[in-house]
Amino acid sequence: MGKHETHIIWDWNGTLYHDLDAVIAATNAAFAEIGLAPITLDRYRELYCVPVPRFYERLMGRLPTQDEWLQMDVVFRRRYEEQQVGCELADGAAALLEGWQTAGRTQSLLSLYGHESLLPLVSRFGIASRFVRVQGRVGPSGGGKAEHMVRHLAELPDVDVARTVVIGDAVDDALAAQHVGARAVLYSGGSHSHASLAEVGVPIADTLAEAVELAEALTA
């Protein structure tokens, strides 16, 4: 690991891991639990935001109560675990991770997916060794990534934050990068529409390969 090289911090859900169908199914199961109508994929990508209770507020016209949030969270996680069995890595992800590592550069993985669930999933795809650190969420769900990003970088002392690029599919990924002084590239093939990603003012890639190219350009 060297501070003169670009370091990539990858997001997982919706970026390296193509799980959007499972997310939509789980979201609609959670909505049904409190009597909300189902949401389409396009509507989801238009409105989705982190923290997730704010996403629900956009749909409900109010924040869910604590009881509603807990109820929806339990249903979401249960249905998601059922649905994700058939999910795979995003097209080209494995080759990109291998190529970056083979070139002698470093990368890590930071996700808001629960840490104990994330580790075996990453191992299942045979890519754990591509990362210098794999970190999922520890603690309750529903928050953003900024403070997790602080802890992530604190455990990577040889990484220069000025040469670090976060690649993710959500506005929250860009905000977390800004919080620590890193750069960001957002991928339009995940949870957000291109239009909603554009609001944050960072480069947007339509493929993961393009995202890596942009990351290199940002730190050249």
Side-chain angles (χ1 to χ4, degrees):
M1 195 184 299
K3 287 202 171 188
H4 62 287
E5 294 284 357
T6 302
H7 178 82
I8 291 176
I9 300 177
W10 290 96
D11 174 55
W12 180 246
N13 303 91
T15 304
L16 290 175
Y17 187 48
H18 186 65
D19 63 344
L20 198 52
D21 289 342
V23 168
I24 295 297
T27 298
N28 283 332
F31 286 178
E33 192 71 13
I34 64 166
L36 291 179
I39 189 171
T40 64
L41 173 60
D42 287 345
R43 185 70 170 155
Y44 179 93
R45 297 183 76 241
E46 176 188 348
L47 295 178
Y48 180 73
C49 64
V50 175
V52 175
R54 294 291 181 186
F55 169 51
Y56 292 159
E57 181 182 26
R58 290 182 174 188
L59 291 161
M60 301 169 65
R62 62 174 176 81
L63 282 169
T65 66
Q66 183 66 13
D67 285 346
E68 286 174 333
W69 164 251
L70 293 174
Q71 187 179 3
M72 294 170 80
D73 191 45
V74 167
V75 172
F76 178 93
R77 285 187 287 171
R78 182 173 64 238
R79 181 60 64 87
Y80 178 80
E81 288 172 4
E82 295 169 357
Q83 294 289 320
Q84 73 161 341
V85 174
C87 297
E88 300 289 342
L89 293 178
D91 288 345
L96 285 169
L97 295 174
E98 180 181 10
W100 191 261
Q101 182 187 43
T102 301
R105 290 172 289 191
T106 60
Q107 56 200 333
S108 56
L109 176 59
L110 176 61
S111 175
L112 290 178
Y113 192 43
H115 186 71
E116 296 305 319
S117 298
L118 177 66
L119 294 181
L121 189 54
V122 173
S123 296
R124 168 186 142 198
F125 290 109
I127 57 173
S129 64
R130 304 296 182 200
F131 306 105
V132 295
R133 178 160 177 76
V134 175
Q135 179 184 339
R137 187 198 76 253
V138 176
S141 60
K145 190 175 276 186
E147 294 308 317
H148 297 281
M149 187 71 72
V150 171
R151 290 191 292 273
H152 188 74
L153 283 167
E155 298 193 26
L156 298 173
D158 294 328
V159 167
D160 180 1
V161 69
R163 296 192 59 79
T164 296
V165 180
V166 176
I167 298 179
D169 69 319
V171 168
D172 186 58
D173 291 302
L175 297 179
Q178 292 170 2
H179 184 70
V180 296
R183 307 290 188 89
V185 174
L186 295 180
Y187 167 57
S188 66
S191 63
H192 282 45
S193 67
H194 195 286
S196 62
L197 293 178
E199 295 175 4
V200 76
V202 303
I204 300 171
D206 293 326
T207 67
L208 293 182
E210 183 186 356
V212 171
E213 291 174 2
L214 287 169
E216 291 182 282
L218 284 174
T219 55

